[in-house]
């Protein structure tokens, strides 16, 4: 089976990617439209900016509502935007990670920063007109750990993604670099412990500066994670404090490729999905040619690394055909790589897989084993093929990933299809497959199975329990 981390970040600050409206129903429609487009490009992971600048898109007892939702800081939009996004991602078989901006807390006079300063007068430092949590005070790690634990506890989230978990580049560092790195690592350690106590399957990730440090032949030109902003991201992987890194590799040429190899060589078995600067394609930015991103995507795939797009709007707007290229680059759904570094047994296979054939559809039903721990429920991957048995190692056979329910209706167009199903837990570990009985021979001519799952006449594969629609049209 193809395991691939292909993800997209949705930036909420100032409504850059979303929301574009201050009306709740319109916001929800905008978000589902974005997620539909991401699903059609087989994006399997979404990062949603949940803590913006000491303000949130979810109801919090610690911090106020962010201004992006209503146009008024502190005002409730009347719904929980984080929960809405999580639910809609899960309906589409995608993971949803809460993107938490850590050290920066916004303008000194902004609502979130002012309220945080009132609670912790000595914890926030002013640089210019911006406020920052002081990484040298232990209370910063304690507070951020509480924020992340609260989100993990209350939401069915798949990951906690830490942004700006570093010294600001404008910070006048008075301690040694070694001590600075230890200060940031102490914060990461506290957050890791707080999240994993709640739900050990929730991935902890961050987006470090794109170059970890100077290499023997290639210099970082004064801008790197380890020495410049005291961000020992590779050490966090080595010590098990991070499950994944999405380095901000917004470069090209020799500023990109050698440093990509460095991240891979120091991944310690964890997931690496470099962030690509697709915003640079826009004529108002650097006006890069699409070939820059194409080459980078191909090299990342050759190296077995994932891909992160920044930002979402440039992707869904199809700037210089980046969206169209990605659909061709990744024509099939892909499973999210499992957390192989966690010692847990794979789930048991489903008890049975029944297929009831109708005039136009096959109805699949199955029974999975109960979850071993509350919240670590099972998801189901459905495979199909005209061949028997179904080859579950063939990416083209994955029909629908990560179903939460236990039935599915599939349009068969008169074809005789065979099916297989696997159960997967929240760690991404997959059970052995259970196969349907062999379908009777079909009188129809051979069919391109990819066309069936991506371009059937209705464009839909329908979940019969929730009437959920999985768009597969190109």
């Amino acid at each position: 089976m193809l395991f691939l981390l292909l993800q997209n970040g949705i930036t909420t600050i100032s409504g850059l990617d979303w929301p574009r409206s201050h009306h709740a129903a319109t916001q929800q429609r905008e978000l589902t439209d974005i997620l539909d487009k991401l699903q059609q490009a087989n994006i399997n992971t979404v990062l949603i900016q949940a803590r913006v600048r000491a303000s949130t898109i979810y109801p919090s007892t610690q911090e106020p509502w962010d201004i992006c939702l209503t146009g008024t800081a502190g005002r409730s939009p009347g719904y929980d935007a984080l929960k809405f996004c999580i639910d809609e991602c899960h309906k589409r078989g995608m993971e949803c990670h809460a993107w938490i901006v850590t050290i920066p807390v916004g303008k000194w006079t902004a609502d979130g920063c002012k309220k945080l300063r009132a609670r912790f007068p000595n914890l926030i430092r002013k640089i210019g007109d911006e406020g920052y949590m002081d990484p040298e005070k232990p209370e910063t790690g304690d507070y951020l750990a509480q924020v992340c634990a609260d989100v993990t506890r209350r939401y069915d989230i798949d990951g906690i993604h830490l942004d700006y978990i570093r010294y600001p580049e404008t910070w006048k560092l008075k301690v040694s670099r070694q001590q600075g790195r230890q200060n940031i690592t102490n914060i990461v350690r506290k957050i890791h412990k707080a999240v994993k106590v709640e739900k050990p399957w929730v991935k902890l990730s961050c987006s470090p500066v794109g170059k970890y440090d100077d290499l023997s032949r290639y210099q970082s030109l004064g801008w790197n994670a380890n020495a410049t902003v005291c961000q020992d991201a590779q050490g966090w992987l080595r010590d098990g404090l991070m499950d994944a890194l999405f380095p901000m590799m917004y470069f090209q040429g020799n500023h990109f490729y050698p440093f990509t190899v460095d991240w891979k060589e120091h991944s310690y078995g964890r997931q690496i999905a470099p962030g690509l600067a697709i915003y640079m394609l826009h004529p108002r930015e650097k006006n890069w040619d699409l070939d820059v991103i194409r080459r980078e995507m191909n090299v990342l795939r050759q190296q077995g690394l994932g891909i992160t797009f920044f930002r979402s709007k440039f992707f869904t707007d199809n700037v210089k055909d980046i969206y169209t290229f990605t659909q061709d680059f990744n024509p099939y759904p892909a499973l999210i790589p499992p957390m192989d570094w966690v010692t847990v047994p794979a789930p048991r296979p489903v008890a049975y897989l029944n297929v009831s054939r109708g005039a136009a559809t096959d109805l699949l039903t199955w029974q999975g084993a109960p979850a071993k721990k509350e919240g670590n429920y099972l998801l189901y991957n459905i495979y199909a093929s005209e061949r028997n048995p179904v080859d579950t190692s063939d990416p083209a056979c994955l029909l629908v990933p990560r179903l939460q329910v236990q039935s599915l209706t599939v349009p068969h167009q008169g074809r005789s299809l065979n099916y297989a199903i696997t159960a997967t837990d929240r760690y991404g570990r997959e059970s052995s497959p259970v196969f349907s009985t062999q379908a009777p021979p079909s009188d129809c001519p051979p069919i391109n199975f990819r066309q069936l799952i991506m371009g059937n006449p209705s464009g839909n594969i329908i979940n019969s329990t929730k009437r959920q629609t999985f768009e597969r049209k190109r």
Side-chain angles (χ1 to χ4, degrees):
M1 187 56 233
L2 176 65
F3 292 101
L4 174 68
L5 193 59
L6 192 64
Q7 59 187 17
N8 205 292
I10 299 177
T11 307
T12 60
I13 188 169
S14 302
L16 288 176
D17 291 329
W18 176 88
R20 312 297 290 178
S21 165
H22 292 148
H23 185 268
T26 304
Q27 288 177 6
Q28 293 175 2
R29 185 168 59 253
E30 289 172 351
L31 185 56
T32 54
D33 286 346
I34 291 171
L35 296 179
D36 283 344
K37 288 182 178 179
L38 298 182
Q39 183 196 18
Q40 290 162 23
N42 288 320
I43 300 294
N44 57 21
T45 305
V46 171
L47 312 179
I48 179 74
Q49 195 174 43
R51 185 191 193 233
V52 186
R53 292 293 187 275
S55 55
T56 66
I57 67 166
Y58 61 91
S60 169
T61 59
Q62 298 170 294
E63 297 180 334
W65 288 97
D66 188 72
I67 193 173
C68 73
L69 294 168
T70 64
T72 302
R75 177 183 292 177
S76 169
Y79 76 106
D80 186 333
L82 177 57
K83 183 179 187 305
F84 182 81
C85 186
I86 294 168
D87 291 345
E88 292 299 319
C89 284
H90 288 175
K91 287 178 185 178
R92 292 162 177 77
M94 297 187 286
E95 283 196 354
C96 185
H97 296 210
W99 169 356
I100 307 293
V101 178
T102 56
I103 301 298
V105 292
K107 297 293 183 183
W108 193 252
T109 57
D111 191 41
C113 183
K114 286 196 300 183
K115 291 184 176 179
L116 204 56
R117 287 193 287 118
R119 291 176 60 193
F120 306 101
N122 299 317
L123 194 58
I124 310 302
R125 288 273 300 272
K126 185 179 183 183
I127 303 178
D129 61 352
E130 300 280 340
Y132 298 88
M133 302 193 78
D134 190 339
E136 296 174 4
K137 294 186 180 296
E139 293 85 358
T140 291
D142 296 337
Y143 181 78
L144 290 173
Q146 290 173 12
V147 170
C148 294
D150 179 59
V151 171
T152 304
R153 183 184 311 114
R154 291 169 52 202
Y155 293 93
D156 189 22
I157 204 72
D158 299 288
I160 296 289
H161 176 69
L162 306 179
D163 197 9
Y164 285 97
I165 188 70
R166 55 182 172 87
Y167 274 86
E169 54 269 32
T170 51
W171 190 283
K172 294 182 180 178
L173 194 66
K174 296 181 180 179
V175 300
S176 68
R177 295 288 171 181
Q178 181 178 2
Q179 183 59 52
R181 284 189 287 272
Q182 189 59 53
N183 291 336
I184 301 297
T185 296
N186 288 342
I187 298 173
V188 172
R189 193 179 302 278
K190 288 179 178 180
I191 295 173
H192 176 271
K193 181 179 180 180
V195 168
K196 297 297 184 176
V197 163
E198 295 292 338
K199 296 172 184 174
W201 56 86
V202 169
K203 299 183 185 75
L204 190 64
S205 67
C206 76
S207 49
V209 171
K211 302 172 183 178
Y212 177 71
D213 212 331
D214 290 337
L215 304 179
S216 58
R217 293 180 57 196
Y218 299 93
Q219 301 301 300
S220 63
L221 303 181
W223 179 239
N224 63 64
N226 190 47
T228 309
V229 293
C230 302
Q231 196 175 37
D232 185 17
Q234 292 181 357
W236 302 338
L237 294 179
R238 180 194 63 232
D239 297 339
L241 298 178
M242 286 280 172
D243 299 298
L245 296 181
F246 315 137
M248 298 183 294
M249 302 197 68
Y250 306 153
F251 320 112
Q252 56 176 301
N254 285 339
H255 293 290
F256 180 87
Y257 298 108
F259 294 93
T260 299
V261 174
D262 182 57
W263 287 114
K264 177 180 172 61
E265 290 179 344
H266 296 90
S267 64
Y268 299 96
R270 270 44 173 193
Q271 297 169 8
I272 305 289
L276 303 186
I278 62 170
Y279 67 94
M280 292 290 195
L281 297 170
H282 200 282
R284 293 181 182 176
E285 296 289 342
K286 296 295 185 181
N287 201 25
W288 284 3
D289 191 88
L290 180 61
D291 280 342
V292 173
I293 302 296
R294 282 175 176 161
R295 289 194 297 269
E296 292 179 350
M297 290 173 66
N298 279 301
V299 168
L300 292 179
R301 172 160 289 181
Q302 291 166 6
Q303 293 180 334
L305 301 179
I307 297 167
T308 305
F309 294 116
F310 184 79
R311 297 187 345 254
S312 178
K313 189 175 188 303
F314 296 91
F315 184 71
T316 54
D317 282 355
N318 201 22
V319 174
K320 290 191 177 173
D321 291 328
I322 179 59
Y323 181 87
T324 302
F325 171 72
T326 303
Q327 286 186 302
D328 291 332
F329 177 82
N330 199 52
Y332 308 116
L335 298 183
I336 296 164
M339 300 169 70
D340 285 334
W341 53 92
V342 180
T343 305
V344 292
R348 297 196 299 271
V350 302
Y352 61 83
L353 171 60
N354 287 338
V355 180
S356 299
R357 186 171 177 85
T361 61
D362 289 336
L363 173 61
L364 282 61
T365 56
W366 59 89
Q367 179 64 56
K372 293 184 177 180
K373 184 175 181 179
E374 184 179 359
N376 185 21
Y377 52 77
L378 294 180
L379 302 161
Y380 302 99
N381 305 314
I382 309 300
Y383 303 83
S385 173
E386 290 187 293
R387 296 183 177 181
N388 187 60
V390 180
D391 183 0
T392 58
S393 67
D394 184 350
C397 292
L398 179 57
L399 188 64
V400 181
R402 295 172 53 84
L403 272 175
Q404 291 183 301
V405 293
Q406 299 188 22
S407 64
L408 184 74
T409 300
V410 181
H412 57 60
Q413 298 182 24
R415 310 294 168 176
S416 299
L417 297 177
N418 299 282
Y419 298 95
I421 182 172
T422 61
T424 183
D425 63 13
R426 302 299 294 280
Y427 296 95
R429 294 190 178 275
E430 195 175 18
S431 74
S432 57
V434 170
F435 299 93
S436 64
T437 56
Q438 184 172 4
S442 171
D443 294 331
C444 301
I447 188 173
N448 183 326
F449 189 65
R450 175 186 175 190
Q451 293 176 356
L452 176 66
I453 64 174
M454 302 280 291
N456 62 71
S458 66
N460 301 330
I461 297 170
I462 304 172
N463 181 300
S464 62
T465 303
K466 291 189 176 181
R467 305 300 296 172
Q468 170 186 328
T469 300
F470 293 86
E471 295 289 344
R472 290 291 183 228
K473 289 193 292 186
R474 295 296 302 276

